Amino acid sequence: MARTDAPLDAIRKPPPSQDEEARLRELGYQPVLARRMDGFGNFAISFSVISVLSGCMTLYGFGLGTGGPSVMLWGWAGVGLFVLCVGLALAEATSAYPTSGALYYMADRLGGRRWGWYTGWLNLLGLLGAIAGIDYGAALFTGAFLNLQWGFVPTPGSTFLIFLAILLLHAGLNLFGVRLVSVLNSVSVWWHLIGVAVIVGALAFVPDRHQSVDFVFTTFVNDTGWANPFYVAAIGLLLAQYTFSGYDASAHLSEETSNASVTAAKGIVRSIWVSWLAGFALLAGLTFAIQDYAGTQNSATGVPPAQIFMDALGSGGAAALLLVVIVAQLFCGNAEVAAASRMVFAFSRDNALPGSALWRKVSGSTQTPVPAVWLAVGVAALLAVPSLYSATAYGAVTAINVIGITPAYAIPIYLRLRAGKRFVPGPWSLGRWSRPIGWIAVVWVAFVTVLFCLPQKSPVNVDTMNYAVIALAVVLILASVWWYVARRSYGTPTAYGTAREEAEIAEGII
């Protein structure tokens, strides 16, 4: 059965009060996941994945030497504005296509099967890289806490073991079902907001000495080995761009969210602007409280924010604030495992992954994609293995997240712009602002994708190389090779036919 404008099936505009289960069937999928998440829970999962207490804190040391205070603060403000444009444009597409596949499903419907295929693989790389980056960061902070309390000296090996333990914790929590995930994410929102307030308040009122406004907003520091200050400042934007990622979690959990066509779109946008404000306050609070810049950079704990806490508040206060950060990071990693596992489930449901028949299985008791959870944490563990051998590996893991997931955000936005009036918006729409905001988002993503493939340290050698480029190349090669194996079985379904029929239509077989 052929269709007109095959990449854009003629699906009616859903009413605001639509039945989401009927809408999902209209998009081609039989509901199998439990729809037990409300609007706040959907916002909470993206806010928890963005997690300013994870991204800002774990890459704060990177920021100290890659542009310093001025790049961290002004970079955060600027990046946040552009990311908000990306989030607004992505929210509009999510409203039209509220499925667990999210980005790749949108790209498939708007541009065709190959667009969906490569978007899915990029999205998957970014999500799995995010789990590795978040949980490894939590392991680093746990090591710093143990150092403060009992003199434990973190090594790459011990940090990796802590990292594996955290991955197992998150796998276990996700196996209990989406209701527990939703509850934990709701708690996470308040933990993050109160935690940021406590940290900033303590650093503002307890220390006798603070840095000047001029120091915080104008000081530029370059420890990268590169001579060009503009290049260094651009590389320094990684701190903000890495933190501002993962808000597609709201879209990936849309099949488990009530009134997802509206609440998932709102969840994306709200998670970004709330994080934007909270993150700026956190970065400013940390930077004003620096007592010894060089000592902070070379902290024996291995974590510069821990040194700021210790210098400003003493060991007891530092340990207390580190616990606040670690718990927030654990919330963040747990939410990211939930989002990534739903992406694995959805991609496998459309026969895109090797072993798809296994990864798309759902537990009858919890309605959770159990094998997908284990695959997500297993691959994340493998991505962090280079940290055992390279001091710069953590920065590479975070860059993997950015260059994987960020292009995947822009592809459906670009395709929606290309589609023009053929795109049928959902109940949440940008209206006349759709095109200008969409083009700003696409240009920004193109810029940061190129930027974070570049080396971050000079001279470039085995220890300082940006391995994110290799990871991206491997995934694109794997996706290209697997396309020729799975192209006849892969395909997103429609209300008018099966995935196989749609694949045959696209290939010109029927």
Side-chain angles (χ1 to χ4, degrees):
M1 177 182 63
R3 66 185 183 192
T4 304
D5 292 324
L8 278 167
D9 31 355
I11 297 173
R12 64 173 176 81
K13 181 177 180 179
S17 59
Q18 68 179 3
D19 179 342
E20 292 292 343
E21 302 290 37
R23 174 62 176 158
L24 188 59
R25 291 187 183 93
E26 195 173 51
L27 293 172
Y29 294 113
Q30 179 67 26
V32 295
L33 301 175
R35 201 175 288 274
R36 297 170 178 165
M37 185 176 283
D38 61 13
F40 184 81
N42 187 275
F43 148 73
I45 192 166
S46 283
F47 181 75
S48 297
V49 171
I50 292 174
S51 182
V52 295
L53 286 174
S54 179
C56 291
M57 302 296 267
T58 52
L59 279 182
Y60 190 80
F62 172 86
L64 287 174
T66 314
S70 61
V71 171
M72 285 194 284
L73 271 297
W74 292 113
W76 181 269
V79 169
L81 180 61
F82 285 114
V83 169
L84 185 59
C85 291
V86 178
L88 286 165
L90 189 62
E92 182 177 55
T94 298
S95 180
Y97 303 105
T99 72
S100 294
L103 309 181
Y104 87 85
Y105 182 89
M106 301 171 196
D108 187 289
R109 305 325 306 154
L110 293 167
R113 295 173 67 235
R114 285 216 187 195
W115 282 105
W117 179 268
Y118 283 100
T119 301
W121 280 94
L122 287 170
N123 191 196
L124 188 59
L125 170 67
L127 289 168
L128 296 175
I131 296 174
I134 293 163
D135 281 2
Y136 194 83
L140 289 171
F141 271 73
T142 301
F145 175 78
L146 296 175
N147 176 270
L148 283 178
Q149 289 296 96
W150 297 288
F152 171 80
V153 179
T155 65
S158 62
T159 300
F160 193 80
L161 289 176
I162 297 170
F163 166 68
L164 292 179
I166 292 172
L167 283 177
L168 289 174
L169 170 65
H170 288 153
L173 290 172
N174 271 271
L175 297 181
F176 283 99
V178 73
R179 189 181 297 277
L180 176 60
V181 172
S182 182
V183 169
L184 290 174
N185 289 331
S186 297
V187 174
S188 172
V189 171
W190 300 111
W191 186 275
H192 275 81
L193 294 177
I194 295 171
V196 168
V198 168
I199 290 171
V200 172
L203 294 178
F205 294 109
V206 175
D208 294 328
R209 174 182 172 271
H210 290 90
Q211 298 291 343
S212 66
V213 172
D214 183 67
F215 172 86
V216 171
F217 290 99
T218 66
T219 301
F220 181 85
V221 178
N222 178 13
D223 294 332
T224 65
W226 298 107
N228 189 318
F230 295 102
Y231 181 87
V232 175
I235 294 298
L237 298 179
L238 176 60
L239 183 155
Q241 186 64 50
Y242 165 67
T243 305
F244 280 118
S245 63
Y247 43 87
D248 57 315
S250 289
H252 288 295
L253 272 291
S254 59
E255 290 184 31
E256 297 160 87
T257 302
S258 301
N259 195 24
S261 297
V262 174
T263 54
K266 288 182 176 180
I268 291 171
V269 177
R270 189 179 302 151
S271 67
I272 294 171
W273 70 258
V274 174
S275 297
W276 191 13
L277 297 177
F280 189 85
L282 179 63
L283 288 172
L286 283 169
T287 309
F288 273 111
I290 292 175
Q291 306 296 306
D292 177 358
Y293 203 94
T296 298
Q297 287 181 290
N298 302 305
S299 173
T301 66
V303 177
Q307 192 64 46
I308 294 175
F309 294 160
M310 191 158 54
D311 292 344
L313 309 173
S315 58
L321 293 190
L322 275 177
L323 277 178
V324 171
V325 174
I326 291 167
V327 172
Q329 292 171 336
L330 294 177
F331 279 129
C332 174
N334 189 65
E336 185 63 31
V337 169
S341 63
R342 270 50 174 192
M343 172 60 196
V344 171
F345 159 76
F347 217 27
S348 299
R349 180 173 59 182
D350 292 330
N351 296 307
L353 296 180
S356 287
L358 171 61
W359 311 124
R360 63 172 172 253
K361 289 183 177 179
V362 175
S363 167
S365 58
T366 63
Q367 293 179 277
T368 298
V370 173
V373 171
W374 286 114
L375 180 64
V377 298
V379 175
L382 292 176
L383 286 176
V385 167
S387 66
L388 291 168
Y389 311 102
S390 171
T392 59
Y394 180 69
V397 169
T398 57
I400 287 171
N401 170 227
V402 171
I403 67 171
I405 208 167
T406 308
Y409 290 158
I411 291 171
I413 297 171
Y414 165 73
L415 294 173
R416 178 263 175 275
L417 293 168
R418 192 181 71 168
K421 293 182 179 179
R422 290 187 299 143
F423 170 74
V424 181
W428 194 97
S429 173
L430 294 174
R432 63 180 181 175
W433 293 100
S434 180
R435 294 190 70 80
I437 290 175
W439 281 116
I440 291 171
V442 169
V443 171
W444 172 252
V445 169
F447 168 70
V448 296
T449 300
V450 172
L451 184 64
F452 296 133
C453 287
L454 301 176
Q456 299 165 0
K457 293 281 188 179
S458 179
V460 180
N461 53 42
V462 174
D463 291 328
T464 61
M465 181 178 177
N466 187 346
Y467 291 97
V469 179
I470 296 176
L472 179 62
V474 168
V475 166
L476 291 177
I477 291 170
L478 176 61
S480 298
V481 170
W482 192 248
W483 167 259
Y484 290 100
V485 176
R487 70 185 187 277
R488 292 188 179 275
S489 60
Y490 162 74
T492 59
T494 72
Y496 312 103
T498 65
R500 181 176 295 279
E501 288 171 348
E502 289 300 308
E504 291 173 346
I505 291 168
E507 292 294 324
I509 296 173
I510 61 174

